[in-house]
Amino acid sequence: MKKIEVVRGEYYDSVTLMLVAKEMKKIDGVVDAALNMATEANIEIMKAAGFEIEAGSFSPDNLLIGIDYVKDEIDRIFETVRSYLASPPWKKKEEDTEYSPGTLDGAISVLRDANLALISLPGRFAVAEAMKALKNGLNVMLYSDNVTIEDEIKIKKFADRNDLIVMGPDCGTAVINGKGLGFSNVCPEGPVGIVAASGTGLQELMVQLTRRGIGVKHGIGTGGRDVKRTVGGISFLKGIRELSDNPDISLIIAVGKPPDPEVKERILDSLRKTGKNCVICFMGDDHGKDEASVHYSAELEECAVVAEAILNGKDVSLAREKLRAEYARLSGWRPTGGVKGRYVRGLFTGGTLCYEAQYIAQSHINPIYGNAPLRKEFKLKNSLKPIGHSFIDYGEDEFTQGRLHPMIDPSFRAEQLKEQSEDNSVAVVLFDVVLGYGSAENPSQEVAEAIRAVNRGIKPVYVAYVCGTARDPQDLAKQISLLEDAGVIVCESNARAALLASSLISRRER
Amino acid sequence: MNRLNDIDKANSIAFEKLLKAEPQIIDLGMAKDAIPNFGEKMILHAGPPITWERMSGPMIGAVTGAILYEGWAETPEKARELASKGEITFEPCHHHNSVGPMAGIISPNLPVWVVEEKNTGWRSYATLNEGLGKVLRMGAFSEEVIERLNWMREVLYPVLRNGVRKYVGDNGGLNLKSLISQSLHMGDELHNRNRAATSLLIRTLVPSMIDAERGNHNLSRVVKFMAGNDHFFLNPGMAAAKVSLDSIGYVEGSSMITIMARNGTDFGIQIAGVEKEWFTCPAALPDVLLFPGFTKDDVNRDIGDSAIMETYGVGGFALAAAPAIVQFVGGTPQDAVNYTREMYEICVGENKHFTIPALNFRGTPTGIDLIKVVETGITPILDTGAAHKEAGKGQVGAGIVRMPSEAFVKAAEAFVEKYSK
Amino acid sequence: MTLSFKDLLNSGPKVINLGMERFYLDLLGQEVPVVKVNWRPPLARSSLMDRLRKLRGE
C-alpha cells in the first residue's frame, strides 16, 4: 500500500531527505520511502513512483512523505519519519569519529613524539611493522608470536645498533615509567627495575612486590627466546645496562626461565658490573651462592621476599627462612572433608605460572605431565586428554590458534576445568586467575560457574591463586570472594598454591 | 633501479611534474576536428577499453544516444544493431587525451573544451556538461536528451566558443589551476560539488561572451544554462586534471598512479613507471545515497573518467574542503576530514597549490603511490554519481565509493616484474 | 627523529598501538599518550610484498 503525508511549511535539503528515506527503507514492513519537497518536478517523480497526489494544492515548502508499506502500522511509520527529520539518526557525535590513522607513518604524524610501537598483529605482518617502527626511531614491544628466530635476531640487532630496544616477540607484559603495557598489574612506582624474559613471571613478581609495599619503576620484557644462545640476550643485556645507568633504580631484578648457560654468564657479568643490588630469579635454576651485590632466588615470591629484605636493610637469610617456615606450615594443612582421587591437575592461563608451579610441585608429586612439561618425556600426546598429574598451559600456541588467549577469554579454560573435575581420578584442581590490564573483566566468574556446574558426587579440592593487586581494574577482593564462595582455597602466591595442591596428594600417598 | 631511494626519487620527479602543470582553457572545438586521430564512426567512452558485448546498461544507453545524435541510426533498436555488428569503433577517451564523466561518451559532432598544459603544450579534451536528470552521460537517450545535445551544439557551443576565444585573445589561456584552488576555499571538492568553480568560470567568461556576442538573443539563454548547472565546471576541471597528469609522461621507476577510470564494467589504472598499460578488475558496486524510488539493486557498477579528479588530488581526496556535502559521506564534517586524512597515507605528497582551509591550509593529498596502496591496504576513495543499471534510466544516487583492490595488486605485480630484472 | 631506549624510560611511553584494541584502551585509561592504528593487512600476498621490499633494498 502506498500512502502520502504532507508536512507543510518545513524545508529540508534533498540530502537529508534521501538519508531519511534510506533509514526508512531499513524498517521492516517498509517497501519504499520517498521524501521530496513539493516542487512540480518532484510531484511528477512521486506520481511516477506510484503515489497518488492531487496537483495544484502544494507549494515548494511542503514536504511530501510517501511510504510504500506492507504492515498495517503506517501511523507509527510516519511518526518515525518525523522523528528522524527532527533528530537524524546518522548524525554521530564528533568524538566518535576521531581519526584513526591506517598506517604507522600516519600515526607518527598524529603523535609526533611517539617513542614506542606496541604491536600485536599476526606474526607474518608484525616483523615488517616492527622494522618500520625501528626505522622511524621507535622502540618496539612485540606481543605477536609466530616470528622466526632469524627475524627476531634481525630486528633486535637493528634496534641495538640504533640505541633502541625490541621487547618481544611474544612479550605481553611491560611497565615503563610506572605505566603498564599489555598484560600488567597496577603497581606503585618505586626503586625497582626488572628485566624479564617471561610475561606472567613479571606480573607475579610485581604483584608480590606490591603486596610487600615495594614499587616498580620499569619492568622491561624481552620475550622468552631472548635468553637463548642464538639471540644471545640482546634485549635482556640492553635492559640491564639502562637500568644500571638509571639514577631512579636502586635494585635490579632479572627474571625468567633459565637462560642458556653462556647467556646466563653474560647476564651475571652485566649485573655484577652495575654496582647496584641485584636479585636473580631464573626459576628452577641451580641456586647460586649470594655474592656481594647479587642475590639468587628460585621462585617468584622468594625473589620478592629477598628484594624486600635488601631494600629494607634486613637480613636476607632470615627473610628466606621465615618464608620457608610459612611454606612448611602451609604444606601441613588438610581440608576437613579429606581428598578423593589420586591426581593433581593444574590448569593455567599464565605460562610462567604453569612453569613455576611444576617446578615447585615436582618435589611432592611425580611425574608431572603437560603440554609444556619440565622434562620432554612427560609431554602429553594430547593436551586435551591429560593423564596422571598434568599441568597444562592454556596460553600455549596450540590453544591460541583461532582462539583468544585464556587471560582475555577464560571460557575455554573454564570448560576444561569442569571436564577434568568430573574425572574420578582427579583429587586436586589447581589453577591461576590473572588480573590487570589486558585480562578479562571478570575472570573468576566463569571459573566459579564451571565449578558449580561440575557433575560429580564429591568434587575435587580446588586450589587457586589470583595474581592481581588491589588497584587492578577487576577488583581483587571481588575476584577472590567469587572463588571462595564456590569453595576454592585461594592462596597468596603462585608458589603457595602449587605447594598446597601438591602436598595434599603427597601426604596422602605417604 | 633497485633501491628505495630510486623509487622515491622517481615518484618525487613525477609529483613535481604534476604540481608544475599549468592547465588552461584555450579553445572549444568539435570533437572530430579538435581531438587527434578521431576516426569516422568512432565513439570514445569512459574507463579502460571495453567491447560492446561487455558494456553495462548505462554505457549501452549512452552509446545508443550518441548514435541517434550522430544520425547513424533512426531508432534505438537500429542503433544497437549497428553497434552489435561492429560498425562502430569504440576506444577509451584516455587513448585520445580525453576524459568524460560517467559513460564519458564523445562522438564526432559533440563540442569539446580544449585545455592545454602551458609548459609542455600537451592538450586534453572534454565535452560540455549537460546538467542533471535525463542526460547522455547517465545512459539516457530519449528525445529530450538528443534535443538538448542539439541545442548545446547549435546554440551553447558557438556562443561559449566565441566568448572563450575572445577571453583567450585578450588574456591568454584561462588558468584552471588557480580557479580550482580558489574553489577549494569556497566549499568545492571539484567532483561531487562544483558550484563555486562553475560560478567562478561564469564570472570569468561572461564579460568576454558579452563582448563577443553582443546582440545575440541566445546569450542570456546560454548563461542561464551554464548557471543552472552546478556541474558545468566538472568537464573542463577533468580536462585540467587529465592534461596535468599526462604532462608527467613516463617516469622510469615511478609507482605513482596517473590514471584511474571506470567504464561501468571494469576499473582500470595506469602508473607513471609502466608505460601506457592498463591494469583492470571488475568495477566497484557503489553503496551510495539513493534518490527516492530507487533501491540498491538498481545501481550499476562504478562508471566514469571523473576518477581523474582524485588522481589529480581533489574530489574525494579533498572532501575535507567541502563540508556542504558531508552528508554523502556519513554526516559530520569530521567524517569528511577523516577521508582526506586517510588519503594522505597513500599519497606521494601534499599539494602546495590546492589547500584545505579546514586542515589549516594543508595541501590536498596528491599523487597516489601504488606501493603505499598495496602495502597499507588502503585503496583510494572517490566521490561519485551512480547510474541505473538499465540503459536509459539515468542517475540513481551519489556518494562515495572505494576502489577495488585487484587492479592495484596487478599493477604492483607488473611493477615488481619490470624493475626486478 | 630517533628516540633512544633511554628516552623511552626517562619520559615514559608515548605509544602507537598496532593490533589489539584492548591494549589501546588500557593505555588511554592510564592517560598514556597513545594513537591507535586502524591497521589493515597489505593487499598484496606476502611473496609480492617480499619482492617489493627487496626492490626497495630492504
Side-chain angles (χ1 to χ4, degrees):
Chain A
M1 279 171 287
K2 292 192 171 73
K3 191 168 176 192
I4 284 274
E5 187 171 277
V6 184
V7 181
R8 290 179 198 273
E10 278 181 40
Y11 177 80
Y12 297 92
D13 67 273
S14 61
V15 177
T16 300
L17 296 177
M18 279 194 278
L19 284 164
V20 170
K22 187 178 176 179
E23 290 296 318
M24 293 310 298
K25 284 180 211 173
K26 291 181 189 162
I27 295 172
D28 188 37
V30 175
V31 180
D32 192 11
L35 282 81
N36 281 300
M37 300 312 298
T39 62
E40 268 177 58
N42 284 338
I43 289 170
E44 290 310 311
I45 289 172
M46 301 275 285
K47 280 183 179 167
F51 292 103
E52 283 179 34
I53 304 169
E54 284 174 37
S57 55
F58 302 108
S59 67
D61 66 343
N62 294 161
L63 169 65
L64 305 177
I65 305 169
I67 302 286
D68 185 0
Y69 61 104
V70 289
K71 283 191 182 167
D72 196 20
E73 295 173 320
I74 188 65
D75 290 341
R76 188 183 55 77
I77 293 170
F78 278 123
E79 212 168 282
T80 307
V81 175
R82 285 190 297 269
S83 77
Y84 282 0
L85 286 168
S87 144
W90 60 86
K91 283 221 168 122
K92 293 176 267 179
K93 282 187 190 145
E94 285 274 329
E95 58 265 28
D96 291 342
T97 56
E98 200 45 46
Y99 180 65
S100 287
T103 61
L104 189 76
D105 286 343
I108 291 169
S109 74
V110 175
L111 188 64
R112 294 210 177 261
D113 56 350
N115 54 18
L116 178 70
L118 172 50
I119 301 173
S120 51
L121 302 169
R124 64 186 185 283
F125 303 118
V127 173
E129 297 294 341
M131 202 64 199
K132 260 188 244 169
L134 293 169
K135 284 186 175 168
N136 278 294
L138 300 183
N139 298 282
V140 169
M141 175 165 165
L142 195 53
Y143 173 63
S144 318
D145 48 18
N146 286 317
V147 171
T148 66
I149 194 125
E150 292 78 18
D151 280 340
E152 176 171 351
I153 293 167
K154 187 180 80 178
I155 56 177
K156 283 186 168 167
K157 284 193 169 158
F158 183 89
D160 205 36
R161 280 199 302 276
N162 290 280
D163 214 10
L164 298 166
I165 195 168
V166 174
M167 297 187 277
D170 210 7
C171 169
T173 303
V175 170
I176 303 291
N177 214 8
K179 304 291 186 188
L181 297 153
F183 300 95
S184 57
N185 303 89
V186 185
C187 301
E189 263 191 68
V192 175
I194 306 171
V195 186
S198 128
T200 41
L202 177 54
Q203 285 192 272
E204 166 69 337
L205 182 57
M206 291 199 304
V207 166
Q208 293 303 328
L209 288 169
T210 300
R211 291 181 183 185
R212 289 165 175 80
I214 296 166
V216 174
K217 186 158 179 71
H218 302 304
I220 300 159
T222 67
R225 254 181 356 202
D226 192 72
V227 294
K228 297 278 173 211
R229 188 175 48 80
T230 39
V231 184
I234 298 173
S235 295
F236 209 100
L237 293 165
K238 188 165 193 69
I240 293 172
R241 277 199 302 278
E242 271 320 315
L243 294 179
S244 166
D245 291 349
N246 195 311
D248 297 335
I249 303 294
S250 58
L251 178 80
I252 299 173
I253 300 177
V255 62
K257 293 174 193 171
D260 280 348
E262 55 265 63
V263 181
K264 184 178 148 191
E265 273 318 304
R266 259 179 276 164
I267 290 171
L268 288 176
D269 267 356
S270 177
L271 287 171
R272 287 180 192 116
K273 281 184 197 143
T274 63
K276 296 185 178 179
N277 276 315
C278 302
V279 186
I280 293 169
C281 180
F282 293 140
M283 274 157 287
D285 196 25
D286 285 343
H287 219 299
K289 256 206 173 132
D290 285 356
E291 303 164 23
S293 63
V294 179
H295 299 74
Y296 292 86
S297 60
E299 299 140 25
L300 295 160
E301 186 180 16
E302 183 197 354
C303 181
V305 165
V306 171
E308 180 192 22
I310 294 170
L311 283 169
N312 294 340
K314 301 271 169 61
D315 188 307
V316 171
S317 310
L318 262 174
R320 281 201 185 101
E321 270 169 39
K322 195 171 154 245
L323 182 69
R324 290 211 184 96
E326 286 179 32
Y327 281 9
R329 271 200 303 281
L330 185 69
S331 58
W333 185 89
R334 332 185 38 132
T336 44
V339 181
K340 300 280 181 301
R342 288 150 55 204
Y343 299 122
V344 180
R345 292 284 160 81
L347 295 90
F348 289 86
T349 62
T352 304
L353 300 183
C354 183
Y355 184 92
E356 187 191 47
Q358 291 178 72
Y359 166 72
I360 288 166
Q362 67 178 352
S363 50
H364 296 273
I365 52 175
N366 260 304
I368 302 173
Y369 297 93
N371 59 346
L374 296 183
R375 287 163 61 185
K376 274 182 204 149
E377 60 263 40
F378 300 134
K379 188 164 168 57
L380 284 170
K381 285 196 184 72
N382 181 349
S383 310
L384 292 173
K385 298 249 179 292
I387 53 169
H389 304 297
S390 276
F391 284 25
I392 294 168
D393 172 14
Y394 290 93
E396 276 282 315
D397 289 356
E398 59 176 319
F399 291 115
T400 54
Q401 306 280 343
R403 192 185 283 125
L404 284 171
H405 192 281
M407 274 157 59
I408 303 170
D409 177 4
S411 58
F412 181 70
R413 202 262 309 252
E415 281 166 31
Q416 293 298 309
L417 188 140
K418 176 174 179 292
E419 197 176 309
Q420 293 191 37
S421 298
E422 288 168 358
D423 178 342
N424 283 324
S425 69
V426 173
V428 181
V429 170
L430 168 69
F431 64 94
D432 63 352
V433 171
V434 181
L435 309 184
Y437 295 122
S439 287
E441 276 172 34
N442 193 10
S444 291
Q445 179 71 31
E446 280 195 60
V447 190
E449 279 168 18
I451 289 170
R452 288 206 177 83
V454 168
N455 182 16
R456 182 171 156 191
I458 299 171
K459 289 181 190 176
V461 176
Y462 291 98
V463 179
Y465 168 57
V466 180
C467 179
T469 70
R471 285 163 61 213
D472 280 336
Q474 290 88 350
D475 188 347
L476 176 64
K478 179 185 140 195
Q479 297 301 323
I480 290 174
S481 66
L482 275 169
L483 295 179
E484 286 179 341
D485 291 351
V488 179
I489 303 160
V490 180
C491 297
E492 285 162 358
S493 72
N494 187 58
R496 288 175 202 239
L499 177 68
L500 176 61
S502 54
S503 57
L504 285 174
I505 290 293
S506 67
R507 216 175 33 253
R508 224 171 54 87
E509 281 172 353
R510 238 179 265 138
Chain B
M1 183 32 243
N2 60 358
R3 314 288 303 177
L4 163 66
N5 291 342
D6 298 338
I7 299 177
D8 277 353
K9 210 179 284 168
N11 282 342
S12 68
I13 289 169
F15 179 76
E16 288 305 325
K17 280 180 153 185
L18 180 62
L19 259 55
K20 237 181 77 193
E22 295 279 351
Q24 305 183 317
I25 295 174
I26 57 156
D27 201 0
L28 272 78
M30 295 303 282
K32 62 183 176 189
D33 308 320
I35 299 177
N37 306 317
F38 209 111
E40 218 175 296
K41 294 237 168 101
M42 179 183 277
I43 290 179
L44 307 186
H45 60 79
I50 188 165
T51 57
W52 170 256
E53 290 73 26
R54 293 186 67 245
M55 282 182 190
S56 64
M59 187 64 89
I60 289 171
V63 167
T64 307
I67 293 173
L68 294 172
Y69 168 77
E70 291 291 338
W72 298 336
E74 301 292 312
T75 64
E77 294 70 33
K78 288 203 170 140
R80 287 179 195 200
E81 201 184 312
L82 195 71
S84 66
K85 278 201 249 164
E87 293 191 20
I88 311 287
T89 310
F90 295 110
E91 289 189 1
C93 292
H94 274 292
H95 292 188
H96 291 264
N97 311 102
S98 305
V99 276
M102 301 306 289
I105 295 300
I106 306 179
S107 67
N109 289 295
L110 282 172
V112 291
W113 296 95
V114 182
V115 173
E116 187 174 274
E117 199 285 300
K118 202 177 171 184
N119 307 304
T120 56
W122 278 91
R123 289 185 179 181
S124 66
Y125 312 90
T127 55
L128 309 183
N129 195 290
E130 312 154 75
L132 289 171
K134 292 217 158 171
V135 286
L136 187 74
R137 71 171 187 280
M138 295 286 176
F141 53 84
S142 60
E143 219 163 283
E144 63 176 287
V145 174
I146 309 302
E147 267 170 30
R148 188 187 304 108
L149 290 174
N150 285 331
W151 179 86
M152 287 170 71
R153 186 188 64 239
E154 281 162 22
V155 180
L156 171 65
Y157 164 59
V159 172
L160 191 56
R161 179 196 58 201
N162 294 345
V164 164
R165 285 181 179 171
K166 172 76 177 138
Y167 178 90
V168 172
D170 294 345
N171 306 285
L174 193 158
N175 186 336
L176 287 167
K177 190 154 90 178
S178 115
L179 205 154
I180 288 169
S181 74
Q182 290 173 59
S183 59
L184 282 168
H185 292 183
M186 297 166 72
D188 280 1
E189 42 64 90
L190 282 310
H191 191 163
N192 274 6
R193 191 181 197 269
N194 285 283
R195 181 176 287 189
T198 297
S199 306
L200 290 174
L201 180 66
I202 294 170
R203 193 177 80 164
T204 308
L205 281 177
V206 159
S208 301
M209 287 165 70
I210 292 172
D211 280 350
E213 295 286 299
R214 199 182 301 272
N216 185 336
H217 67 281
N218 284 322
L219 190 56
S220 72
R221 281 178 67 202
V222 164
V223 173
K224 212 185 236 174
F225 178 85
M226 290 163 62
N229 175 5
D230 279 346
H231 287 294
F232 198 69
F233 182 78
L234 176 61
N235 299 32
M238 286 171 57
K242 172 64 179 164
V243 80
S244 302
L245 286 154
D246 274 358
S247 76
I248 296 170
Y250 171 73
V251 179
E252 175 86 9
S254 170
S255 56
M256 201 169 101
I257 292 170
T258 51
I259 295 178
M260 293 196 291
R262 313 90 89 202
N263 60 27
T265 304
D266 301 321
F267 164 64
I269 64 171
Q270 295 194 11
I271 53 177
V274 180
E275 203 173 9
K276 289 187 174 152
E277 195 174 332
W278 286 102
F279 304 100
T280 64
C281 67
L285 261 174
D287 181 16
V288 295
L289 203 49
L290 295 168
F291 296 154
F294 295 111
T295 71
K296 253 183 159 175
D297 294 339
D298 297 327
V299 179
N300 194 71
R301 282 189 190 277
D302 202 21
I303 186 165
D305 284 335
S306 53
I308 202 77
M309 300 315 282
E310 282 77 8
T311 320
Y312 188 40
V314 292
F317 286 37
L319 259 174
I325 59 165
V326 298
Q327 283 172 307
F328 280 116
V329 299
T332 70
Q334 184 66 44
D335 291 320
V337 167
N338 289 352
Y339 277 115
T340 293
R341 292 181 76 171
E342 188 186 24
M343 292 303 106
Y344 283 113
E345 305 197 40
I346 53 168
C347 281
V348 175
E350 298 178 10
N351 201 311
K352 63 183 177 207
H353 307 295
F354 302 155
T355 59
I356 301 177
L359 297 181
N360 199 18
F361 295 92
R362 189 174 178 188
T364 64
T366 300
I368 305 162
D369 181 358
L370 169 72
I371 293 176
K372 288 186 179 170
V373 172
V374 295
E375 246 179 8
T376 62
I378 300 172
T379 63
I381 58 117
L382 262 58
D383 291 335
T384 196
H388 199 290
K389 68 182 179 191
E390 286 172 34
K393 292 221 169 156
Q395 189 171 5
V396 297
I400 67 154
V401 60
R402 202 176 273 281
M403 292 302 96
S405 59
E406 297 91 326
F408 298 96
V409 175
K410 284 182 188 170
E413 277 165 355
F415 183 85
V416 167
E417 193 59 38
K418 175 171 176 180
Y419 291 108
S420 292
K421 278 169 194 162
Chain C
M1 169 200 62
T2 288
L3 296 163
S4 63
F5 179 40
K6 196 185 287 295
D7 170 86
L8 172 66
L9 295 186
N10 288 339
S11 62
K14 291 164 196 132
V15 183
I16 292 173
N17 185 58
L18 294 103
M20 288 170 43
E21 171 130 29
R22 180 64 194 274
F23 290 167
Y24 163 76
L25 295 173
D26 282 340
L27 288 167
L28 272 189
Q30 296 178 78
E31 292 173 2
V32 171
V34 58
V35 171
K36 163 181 75 167
V37 173
N38 185 14
W39 188 88
R40 271 162 286 198
L43 295 177
R45 56 186 201 293
S46 57
S47 62
L48 178 56
M49 287 307 299
D50 288 346
R51 291 180 72 192
L52 260 175
R53 282 188 203 109
K54 210 173 138 201
L55 196 58
R56 297 200 304 196
E58 280 174 26

